[in-house]
Amino acid sequence: MEFSWLNWLYTAIAQVITWIHQAYSTFITPSSGLNWVLTIVTLTVLMRILIFPLFLKQMRSSKKMQELAPKVQELRKRYKDDKQRLNQEVMALYQGAGANPLGGCLPILAQFPIFISMFTVLNAIADPKRVSVFGMPADVVASAREAHIFSAGISDHFFSTQSVTSKIIIGFFVATSSLTTFLTVRQSVTRSIEQMPDNPMAQQQKILMYISPLFAFFSLNFPLGLILYWVTTNLWTLGQQHWYYSRHPMPKFDERGRLIPVEPKPGLLAKLRKSEPAPAEEPPPAKPEPKVVRNQPTRQPRSKRTGSKKS
């Protein structure tokens, strides 16, 4: 069902898809699966680049919360019998330091409208009764209906297609989506538990980590193109979080709760350079041997050789 007040967003996403597809169509067959795979992947990458500042804001807020962990522990000990006062003091501490506990929701909220728009546009493309979809030219819509990834259509659903091969292909992408979802959540939960080991929500986070892959199986009702979008954004998130976590390791504190500076882990290029054999040091140049100087007897005057006095 399409909501008229979101048509402007659907039209914007459809226009971006059209531009990307037409750009690839200059050297790739418009109706080929490769063209539409590259179109969806490119759209995903562009969207993730646009919300990258939100990711950095989320990570910086999380880092501030990590640095405030010792103070939060003190507040918990002080107000252990007064949960309401504890929550007020913790929130005041976070606000004073500019940390937002809900900052982690920003990237997800930013992706949700794009996800809904992709779902609506691809579903509209799959409808054979529609010639134009949210302003997309008829030839672009037709090429999307003809495009296949290993014999599975871009707009095919697992339950709508009659081809067993298509079901297997869609099932493979759904399983990949489930795996990448699990790895993404595990990466985030592991970091959160390291940040606050005594967090009372740690057990619930672990349960969520193992339940989250099951939600990916709801994508059996999604078009194959949308599943591909989700797999791509999961892979992007995995790489993005690994890049940030390796350069911003968990802060450490001494017995007095003072922050200990921690060196970031070396990146991939640094590891490759480290693995390269060091060039052999050239031996220092040999010192020249000292010349042997023979002391020749000086020639004496004739008077000294004969022993006579010189007149």
Side-chain angles (χ1 to χ4, degrees):
M1 182 178 180
E2 299 173 12
F3 299 95
S4 59
W5 60 279
L6 284 178
N7 280 351
W8 66 271
L9 182 59
Y10 303 152
T11 303
I13 294 297
Q15 184 62 61
V16 174
I17 291 175
T18 301
W19 288 337
I20 298 173
H21 177 265
Q22 290 176 343
Y24 282 122
S25 297
T26 58
F27 56 92
I28 302 177
T29 304
S31 60
S32 69
L34 177 61
N35 191 320
W36 278 97
V37 167
L38 291 176
T39 298
I40 294 172
V41 171
T42 302
L43 174 66
T44 309
V45 172
L46 290 176
M47 295 300 102
R48 293 308 303 265
I49 291 175
L50 287 177
I51 66 173
F52 184 73
L54 295 179
F55 169 78
L56 288 181
K57 186 176 181 179
Q58 169 198 356
M59 291 295 102
R60 288 166 183 164
S61 178
S62 177
K63 184 179 179 181
K64 290 179 181 178
M65 292 174 63
Q66 295 166 13
E67 295 173 352
L68 294 173
K71 295 182 179 180
V72 173
Q73 294 296 332
E74 294 178 2
L75 291 175
R76 285 181 177 174
K77 293 178 182 179
R78 187 182 305 173
Y79 303 105
K80 60 181 179 180
D81 298 326
D82 190 349
K83 297 295 183 182
Q84 183 177 358
R85 179 66 184 277
L86 173 61
N87 293 333
Q88 292 175 353
E89 293 293 333
V90 171
M91 290 304 299
L93 178 64
Y94 285 156
Q95 290 176 0
N100 183 10
L102 300 178
C105 302
L106 293 177
I108 298 176
L109 293 176
Q111 291 183 72
F112 189 71
I114 303 169
F115 184 84
I116 293 297
S117 300
M118 287 281 293
F119 177 80
T120 304
V121 171
L122 290 174
N123 268 343
I125 289 174
D127 186 359
K129 298 178 181 178
R130 302 190 61 164
V131 178
S132 179
V133 175
F134 299 108
M136 295 178 71
D139 59 332
V140 176
V141 176
S143 68
R145 290 172 181 164
E146 296 174 5
H148 287 73
I149 304 176
F150 304 114
S151 77
I154 289 291
S155 56
D156 283 351
H157 299 67
F158 182 85
F159 297 110
S160 66
T161 180
Q162 301 299 323
S163 171
V164 177
T165 306
S166 297
K167 289 182 181 292
I168 293 174
I169 294 170
I170 295 174
F172 169 78
F173 278 98
V174 169
T176 305
S177 173
S178 178
L179 176 62
T180 52
T181 299
F182 169 74
L183 294 176
T184 303
V185 176
R186 186 185 68 169
Q187 191 180 51
S188 179
V189 169
T190 302
R191 176 82 170 192
S192 177
I193 293 176
E194 290 178 356
Q195 169 188 341
M196 195 176 296
D198 60 343
N199 186 358
M201 300 296 292
Q203 189 62 31
Q204 287 80 353
Q205 289 178 345
K206 290 182 180 179
I207 295 174
L208 176 63
M209 179 175 65
Y210 292 103
I211 292 179
S212 59
L214 300 178
F215 291 103
F217 286 96
F218 287 105
S219 58
L220 289 170
N221 292 316
F222 297 160
L224 177 57
L226 188 63
I227 301 172
L228 179 61
Y229 165 83
W230 194 249
V231 171
T232 305
T233 196
N234 281 347
L235 292 174
W236 178 280
T237 302
L238 277 172
Q240 185 174 256
Q241 290 182 164
H242 176 75
W243 166 80
Y244 187 87
Y245 292 161
S246 62
R247 283 157 180 75
H248 299 83
M250 289 291 300
K252 295 182 179 180
F253 304 92
D254 58 15
E255 297 178 353
R256 297 182 179 180
R258 293 177 298 186
L259 186 64
I260 301 174
V262 181
E263 294 185 1
K265 297 179 182 179
L268 181 60
L269 292 177
K271 290 180 180 179
L272 292 175
R273 291 172 183 172
K274 189 176 181 180
S275 62
E276 294 178 356
E281 295 183 0
E282 297 182 358
K287 295 182 180 180
E289 297 181 359
K291 295 182 179 181
V292 179
V293 180
R294 297 180 179 179
N295 296 326
Q296 298 289 344
T298 55
R299 189 172 182 179
Q300 297 178 349
R302 184 175 181 181
S303 59
K304 290 186 177 181
R305 291 201 303 266
T306 56
S308 58
K309 295 182 180 179
K310 188 176 180 180
S311 58

